[in-house]
Amino acid sequence: MNLANKIPVGVLGATGSVGQKFIQLLEEHPYFELIEIAASDRSAGKQYKDAVNWILSTPIPEKIAQLQVKQCDSAFSARILFSGLDASVAGEIESTLAGRGHIIVSNSKNHRWDADVPLLIPEVNHGHLALLKHQNYGKGAIITNPNCSTIGLAVALKPLHDAFGLEQVNVVTMQALSGAGYPGVSSLDIIDNVVPFIGGEEEKLETEPKKIFGKYANGIIELADFKISAQTNRVAVLDGHLETVQVTLREKASPEAIIEAWKNFRSLPQELDLPLAPLQPVHYFTEERYPQPRLHRNLDKGMATSVGRLRRCNLFDYKFVILSHNTVRGAAGGSILGAELLAGTGNIM
Ligand code: NAP
């Protein structure tokens, strides 16, 4: 794709934690040109630099700093609208804008379980894009990202599911503060503390992988039938969700075969050489103290899933640790990769 043909895109919820990450990752993007941003009535009408409390370590891109923030019910020119909207408003705004012909790539939970909406992780279930032809949004469409803690888990499980089959999964998460948006968890709640509850998160982890790993046929996703149990905790880490995982596999597998499956895993985004595709989706560490959020969350543009500590389990077959960047791979980066996949597979007319 050459620079003259860049696809115009916008960001809904541009002032939020995920919205800011979109703006950072879209700067100088080879396929996409960010032309429009929108947020709530509190921000609409202001220049972006005056509306946002910018919390990222790189400066606001100069051109975006000057842009006026739109209301979400405005008319947009962008072909693709990335959404980092609060879930209390995302559902209706996204349906309306898809109906007006925009392709919505959303991080919010509202449309994840719509029967005709892909719950997309480009490396894991790109075949589910076939659902798009069953949507009734005319030239528009909706695709969604799974929950941020589900994404890293699903990327790590995919090579095991393909090679050996999954029977049971148990996962315990230690989730970063940025996952709660801004301002998120009060400092008095989280300093010197761990909060052993994140509203709605365990349910998402226990159900979303079943759609992601489901089989597509004739416009329908047949849910995968393995069992998942999840426990979720908020910890005092800025970015990067760490998860300890136990699995029982349908076929016997040696530790060496599992590590080989992770190391050799490549998928369509790598074949198409998409700009945000990690070169190696799963990075296995042999060092026994790795992966760690502060050290490894930015691996391979923040898009890799780091895995380590594979060992036999007394209850399940194996246990291991995974780490995934929640606002990059688990939100804005994952959505942009999804849109790159749409562009790379001719799904944007
Ligand atoms: P956030 O920091 O609270 O940002 C929410 C955004 O929604 C802001 O731009 C806000 O605009 C806008 N908004 C709020 N009420 C609105 C309204 N009535 N009309 C229009 N816009 C409105 O939240 P976040 O962490 O970025 O998360 C955004 C979405 O992504 C959520 O659905 C979340 O569950 C999901 N998600 C988050 C993560 C993560 O790691 N943070 C990962 C995956 C998915 P104003 O600033 O103008 O209020």
Side-chain angles (χ1 to χ4, degrees):
M1 215 170 288
N2 75 46
L3 294 183
N5 293 336
K6 277 195 186 185
I7 298 163
V9 301
V11 174
L12 309 172
T15 47
S17 167
V18 172
Q20 294 183 30
K21 206 67 190 171
F22 271 123
I23 287 171
Q24 186 186 50
L25 293 175
L26 287 167
E27 190 178 12
E28 317 266 341
H29 192 283
Y31 295 5
F32 306 128
E33 181 79 38
L34 179 57
I35 58 162
E36 289 166 319
I37 49 177
S40 79
D41 290 348
R42 294 179 287 277
S43 310
K46 296 181 185 164
Q47 279 195 329
Y48 185 66
K49 66 178 171 48
D50 299 325
V52 71
N53 176 16
W54 186 257
I55 54 170
L56 301 181
S57 55
T58 54
I60 306 176
E62 191 50 35
K63 208 181 84 188
I64 306 305
Q66 314 299 330
L67 270 187
Q68 193 180 72
V69 179
K70 293 185 154 198
Q71 287 179 320
C72 289
D73 59 3
S74 311
F76 292 94
S77 321
R79 182 75 186 95
I80 299 175
L81 293 171
F82 294 105
S83 171
L85 283 172
D86 191 87
S88 61
V89 292
E92 205 179 319
I93 293 173
E94 292 172 359
S95 313
T96 303
L97 292 172
R100 290 188 202 157
H102 302 284
I103 296 172
I104 310 295
V105 186
S106 174
N107 285 283
S108 303
K109 64 180 181 185
N110 310 62
H111 290 289
R112 286 181 188 156
W113 284 94
D114 292 5
D116 54 8
V117 170
L119 187 52
L120 182 71
I121 304 176
E123 284 91 342
V124 177
N125 62 347
H126 48 81
H128 290 191
L129 287 180
L131 282 175
L132 294 180
K133 61 178 180 290
H134 299 277
Q135 294 188 357
N136 291 315
Y137 294 114
K139 283 187 71 185
I142 298 181
I143 65 172
T144 54
N145 262 4
N147 174 259
C148 46
S149 45
T150 306
I151 292 181
L153 178 68
V155 172
L157 292 178
K158 169 72 173 167
L160 309 190
H161 190 54
D162 287 354
F164 316 111
L166 290 171
E167 197 166 296
Q168 297 192 88
V169 179
N170 183 46
V171 58
V172 178
T173 69
M174 285 150 270
Q175 298 187 213
L177 289 170
S178 58
Y182 187 87
V185 187
S186 143
S187 58
L188 287 181
D189 284 333
I190 199 67
I191 293 173
D192 188 28
N193 209 8
V194 170
V195 181
F197 174 73
I198 305 175
E201 203 79 357
E202 291 173 356
E203 293 76 7
K204 290 175 197 162
L205 266 164
E206 289 177 349
T207 53
E208 290 181 4
K210 296 180 188 223
K211 180 167 179 182
I212 295 163
F213 286 98
K215 281 204 181 74
Y216 171 84
N218 304 320
I220 291 169
I221 305 281
E222 188 192 324
L223 300 185
D225 64 354
F226 53 85
K227 284 190 190 153
I228 312 172
S229 175
Q231 298 181 74
T232 57
N233 303 284
R234 187 73 71 194
V235 298
V237 164
L238 289 179
D239 289 315
H241 292 348
L242 194 77
E243 306 178 23
T244 57
V245 185
Q246 295 161 285
V247 290
T248 299
L249 303 170
R250 290 189 194 272
E251 288 175 25
K252 281 200 180 318
S254 66
E256 294 76 20
I258 291 176
I259 292 170
E260 275 310 289
W262 276 328
K263 283 187 172 168
N264 293 334
F265 176 53
R266 300 288 185 280
S267 185
L268 189 56
Q270 286 69 39
E271 282 166 35
L272 294 172
D273 198 17
L274 299 176
L276 263 186
L279 298 175
Q280 196 175 323
V282 179
H283 188 100
Y284 186 76
F285 284 95
T286 52
E287 295 87 342
E288 62 187 7
R289 293 183 309 125
Y290 291 172
Q292 297 179 12
R294 188 153 47 88
L295 300 183
H296 304 119
R297 59 194 168 206
N298 292 321
L299 192 69
D300 212 340
K301 306 170 281 243
M303 293 295 286
T305 300
S306 298
V307 183
R309 303 210 61 220
L310 177 73
R311 60 227 191 271
R312 299 250 182 214
C313 175
N314 292 333
L315 297 175
F316 291 65
D317 290 343
Y318 285 98
K319 49 189 172 181
F320 51 90
V321 181
I322 67 174
L323 170 75
S324 174
H325 197 306
N326 53 296
T327 61
V328 182
R329 178 83 228 201
S335 289
I336 295 172
L337 183 61
E340 290 172 0
L341 182 67
L342 289 177
T345 52
N347 273 291
I348 301 176
M349 306 301 166

